[in-house]
Amino acid sequence: LTDSLTTPIISSATAVSSTRINVFWNQNPPNENVLNYDLRVTANGNSNIISNISFLSYGVTNLNPNTSY
């Protein structure tokens, strides 16, 4: 049996350098028993999914400077 889960809400994304951002999100609702998250990073129409994140934050690295994500 698989229940439908609610998408977490991103609480902040902070640029650490020109090639890295730290993304933080909240579990929504707080009582869901979620073990891992997937994070989708999209730029210029291309998406990359980072899977199996077990925390409520992630440092996205190797980003291209002067690119909107």
Side-chain angles (χ1 to χ4, degrees), residues 24-42:
F24 302 88
W25 56 90
N26 296 319
Q27 192 175 23
N28 183 31
N31 61 349
E32 284 185 337
N33 190 18
V34 177
L35 299 177
N36 293 302
Y37 295 91
D38 292 341
L39 177 65
R40 179 188 309 264
V41 179
T42 304

Side-chain angles (χ1 to χ4, degrees), residues 12-68:
S12 68
T14 305
V16 178
S17 71
S18 63
T19 60
R20 179 187 172 124
I21 60 169
N22 289 340
V23 181
F24 302 88
W25 56 90
N26 296 319
Q27 192 175 23
N28 183 31
N31 61 349
E32 284 185 337
N33 190 18
V34 177
L35 299 177
N36 293 302
Y37 295 91
D38 292 341
L39 177 65
R40 179 188 309 264
V41 179
T42 304
N44 301 323
N46 298 313
S47 290
N48 183 28
I49 297 177
I50 304 163
S51 297
N52 298 319
I53 302 168
S54 59
F55 302 100
L56 294 176
S57 65
Y58 188 80
V60 183
T61 59
N62 298 320
L63 299 174
N64 292 323
N66 302 316
T67 301
S68 296

